[in-house]
Amino acid sequence: MGGSAVIDDDWEFASSSNEVRTVVLVGRTGNGKSATGNSIIGKRVFKSKASSSGVTTTCEMQRTVLRDGQIVNVIDTPGLFDFSAESEFVGKEIVKCIDLAKDGIHAVIVVFSVRTRFSQEEEAALRSLQTLFGNKIADYMIVLFTGGDELEDNEETLEDYLGRDCPEPLKEILSLCGNRRVLFDNKTKDERKRYEQVQQLLSLVNTVIEQNGGKPYTDELFTELKNGAIRLRDQQIQVDSLKGYSKREISMFKDQMQRTYDEQLKRITEMVESKLKEATSRLEQQLAEEQAARLKAEENAMLAQMRSNDEIQKLREHLQKAEEELRRRGENRCNIL
């Protein structure tokens, strides 16, 4: 956000009848969100390069028009749920993302990479999404795996990769979103391949839209931001049509309206930050409890193994004593004979 959020002149308050699709890319830094956005748009519009610290520093939206005339808005996000991200930064960026989405989100594309192991951080990110936006957000989720070129080089499919060693939390996420998943190769120069994988993704987006009755995801934050923006736009139009006022007075009216809207944005941002801190605290406690439970289970397993080893050792000692007793008896018989 960082300053006044000005309403763009080309802001479209889209009706449900037009063919605008808004998708949001989320995921850990380095998973390939920006490269995926470039693949969807069909050209390099988002900054993307190999970097552990992340290239995307703020939410950004780009638009493309498909061959059939359908408009797709793609919102790229920074690593909003990286453990290193501060709540204040995350809160502002989430509000900015909602502000960019305007009329709602048609699909949340959760980006993973086959090049890196599924982490506890990513599991926590998905939980944060659900905490912030409710369980209904899962109805809009699509899982996208980048690194298709690496699987291809190893002559593997996505099914091979998932079947080889798929962590339980990832299985739960896939189950949660109806197993909607797609593999992307963002490095390919093959235009046909690039087109086909984008079409596969957009087909899943259309499936999500159909299953949700054609309605994008919205909540009270979307509604409040949109209504505030509409009021600001309408007020600015009314001020422009005022007669008998100087340019300076009209400018003052507009500045006051803008301040009112900025205050609204600030209040919503603080509300999101508070909710996020609460969610983070709850997640940290939950993860700590799970970690403690795992350690306890491992300790119990170790104790059980030790007890088992002790019992095996005792059995061996009994067996050895029995063998020695049999040997002595045999020797005694030989002596008697």
Side-chain angles (χ1 to χ4, degrees):
M1 307 283 301
S4 297
V6 181
I7 304 302
D8 297 331
D9 292 336
D10 62 350
W11 189 357
E12 297 175 13
F13 294 93
S15 69
S16 59
S17 61
N18 67 18
E19 290 301 308
V20 176
R21 305 281 190 256
T22 299
V23 300
V24 178
L25 299 164
V26 299
R28 187 176 62 178
T29 294
N31 278 0
K33 298 186 297 295
S34 298
T36 298
N38 290 334
S39 291
I40 298 170
I41 296 293
K43 57 184 177 181
R44 191 179 177 87
V45 290
F46 298 112
K47 291 180 181 178
S48 171
K49 64 179 180 180
S51 172
S52 60
S53 60
V55 177
T56 303
T57 57
T58 187
C59 291
E60 180 185 354
M61 186 175 78
Q62 297 289 343
R63 169 176 291 189
T64 186
V65 181
L66 305 179
R67 296 176 185 177
D68 60 0
Q70 184 181 115
I71 299 169
V72 179
N73 294 327
V74 180
I75 299 176
D76 186 21
T77 65
L80 295 182
F81 300 106
D82 293 357
F83 280 168
S84 59
E86 296 291 336
S87 295
E88 183 179 354
F89 165 76
V90 175
K92 287 179 179 177
E93 289 303 315
I94 287 175
V95 173
K96 182 173 182 179
C97 179
I98 294 171
D99 194 33
L100 288 170
K102 297 179 175 66
D103 291 283
I105 297 169
H106 293 91
V108 177
I109 303 171
V110 185
V111 182
F112 298 117
S113 171
V114 302
R115 292 185 171 88
T116 57
R117 290 187 63 81
F118 180 82
S119 68
Q120 190 181 55
E121 184 176 3
E122 288 171 312
E123 181 184 355
L126 270 298
R127 292 183 186 180
S128 294
L129 266 180
Q130 287 179 284
T131 302
L132 283 169
F133 299 110
N135 291 330
K136 188 172 176 58
I137 198 68
D139 297 337
Y140 292 83
M141 279 168 36
I142 297 169
V143 176
L144 185 147
F145 293 90
T146 61
D149 54 306
E150 183 163 311
L151 291 187
E152 191 173 306
D153 290 343
N154 294 327
E155 297 183 344
E156 282 189 311
T157 64
L158 181 57
E159 284 65 34
D160 294 331
Y161 167 78
L162 293 173
R164 186 174 357 109
D165 187 22
C166 186
E168 201 59 40
L170 181 53
K171 288 180 182 177
E172 291 175 10
I173 290 167
L174 288 168
S175 174
L176 200 63
C177 69
N179 208 34
R180 293 184 292 270
R181 63 178 191 261
V182 62
L183 179 67
F184 257 44
D185 175 4
N186 290 317
K187 293 184 177 181
T188 184
K189 303 298 182 185
D190 185 335
E191 288 300 322
R192 181 188 178 98
K193 182 180 180 182
R194 188 184 294 269
Y195 174 78
E196 287 177 350
Q197 65 188 16
V198 170
Q199 288 305 303
Q200 187 179 356
L201 173 62
L202 293 176
S203 176
L204 288 174
V205 171
N206 287 333
T207 297
V208 167
I209 292 170
E210 288 172 11
Q211 290 179 352
N212 288 294
K215 297 178 180 178
Y217 175 84
T218 59
D219 64 7
E220 64 275 8
L221 295 181
F222 283 85
T223 303
E224 191 169 350
L225 277 172
K226 181 176 178 178
N227 289 342
I230 291 173
R231 280 196 302 272
L232 177 59
R233 185 194 61 175
D234 290 346
Q235 287 170 350
Q236 288 178 338
I237 291 172
Q238 289 172 3
V239 167
D240 285 335
S241 64
L242 288 176
K243 304 296 183 183
Y245 290 91
S246 67
K247 288 184 179 180
R248 183 173 176 276
E249 288 173 322
I250 289 177
S251 178
M252 288 174 61
F253 290 151
K254 286 187 174 182
D255 286 345
Q256 179 58 47
M257 293 171 199
Q258 186 67 55
R259 280 196 296 272
T260 301
Y261 182 66
D262 288 344
E263 286 170 5
Q264 180 189 33
L265 288 179
K266 183 181 178 182
R267 180 176 54 77
I268 292 174
T269 301
E270 289 172 350
M271 185 169 63
V272 170
E273 287 172 16
S274 174
K275 196 173 181 181
L276 186 64
K277 286 177 182 176
E278 181 184 334
T280 302
S281 176
R282 196 159 53 240
L283 279 172
E284 286 174 350
Q285 182 181 349
Q286 187 175 346
L287 290 171
E289 289 172 356
E290 289 176 0
Q291 177 71 7
R294 272 197 297 271
L295 290 173
K296 186 66 177 175
E298 290 172 4
E299 182 184 342
N300 290 338
M302 189 180 297
L303 290 171
Q305 184 64 49
M306 288 172 65
R307 282 195 295 268
S308 177
N309 290 340
D310 287 344
E311 289 173 3
I312 291 171
Q313 183 62 32
K314 288 177 182 178
L315 285 172
R316 283 176 178 165
E317 290 173 357
H318 286 314
L319 182 59
Q320 188 176 357
K321 287 178 181 179
E323 288 174 346
E324 289 175 355
E325 182 65 26
L326 286 172
R327 188 171 62 253
R328 277 198 301 271
R329 288 181 182 180
E331 289 173 354
N332 288 338
R333 284 200 194 96
C334 289
N335 291 335
I336 292 170
L337 291 173

